[in-house]
Amino acid sequence: LPAPRGEGSRSPDCLSASQPAHDAPATHVVQTRRFSCDGGEGALGHPRVWLTIPQETGWIDCPYCDARYTLDPNAAHDGH
């Protein structure tokens, strides 16, 4: 398996519901179900995309950079 990309990679133990099929290069915990990802590399990133974490899985991978986003279990319900 390739080494994780990016700084701030976190352990996948914060995932809930079904487990993803592959490891992510980086995992980020967010406070809301709907958020944007731009790759975080400034001019070297990717086009901004808006993502919504499904209730069924509790996580989503960015289709561009494969970064995994999980919802903070302590986050307030945001209605999305």
Side-chain angles (χ1 to χ4, degrees):
L1 294 173
R5 288 186 294 172
E7 297 171 335
S9 293
R10 296 189 181 172
S11 169
D13 60 344
C14 60
L15 302 178
S16 62
S18 64
Q19 292 297 309
H22 60 85
D23 291 334
T27 300
H28 308 283
V29 178
V30 294
Q31 300 298 311
T32 60
R33 286 195 180 279
R34 183 155 169 78
F35 60 93
S36 67
C37 179
D38 63 6
E41 301 285 330
L44 299 176
H46 59 68
R48 176 172 291 163
V49 291
W50 287 92
L51 305 169
T52 302
I53 297 174
Q55 292 226 273
E56 304 80 43
T57 61
W59 57 270
I60 193 167
D61 289 346
C62 175
Y64 282 94
C65 65
D66 286 333
R68 180 159 297 137
Y69 291 89
T70 63
L71 183 63
D72 181 342
N74 299 317
H77 179 66
D78 65 358
H80 291 250

